Amino acid sequence: MTPKPNPAVRYTAMRLGVFAASFVILAVMVRVGALPAGLGDSNYLWVMLLSIVVSAPLSFILLRRQRDEMSEQIVGRVQKSKERLAANRSREDEADDEARGTA
């Protein structure tokens, strides 16, 4: 059984994949004339901007589950950090109380 990859890495890789697929499809569409080309030599910049605009809502819709998994992972890590911080604070308070009681 192979371990599941980190949800954040998985989401990022899939998001880049959606962008790359959008870029390729839009570049072909510009090349065949289905979409207008950019001005002068800005054709690839134009296709890149179009790809960003197209891939953002696609990623939002298609990668909902991966985004939720990543969010759960982040929330879990934040909760663990808060718990550790609270435990450290209580230990400091106990040590401070002991020091004041013995002084």
Side-chain angles (χ1 to χ4, degrees), residues 1-5:
M1 181 170 123
T2 59
K4 242 181 150 178

Side-chain angles (χ1 to χ4, degrees), residues 98-103:
E98 287 177 14
R100 288 183 187 193
T102 58

Side-chain angles (χ1 to χ4, degrees), residues 25-44:
I25 291 169
L26 290 171
V28 168
M29 291 177 74
V30 167
R31 186 76 174 164
V32 299
L35 290 174
L39 299 174
D41 292 335
S42 68
N43 194 27
Y44 286 109

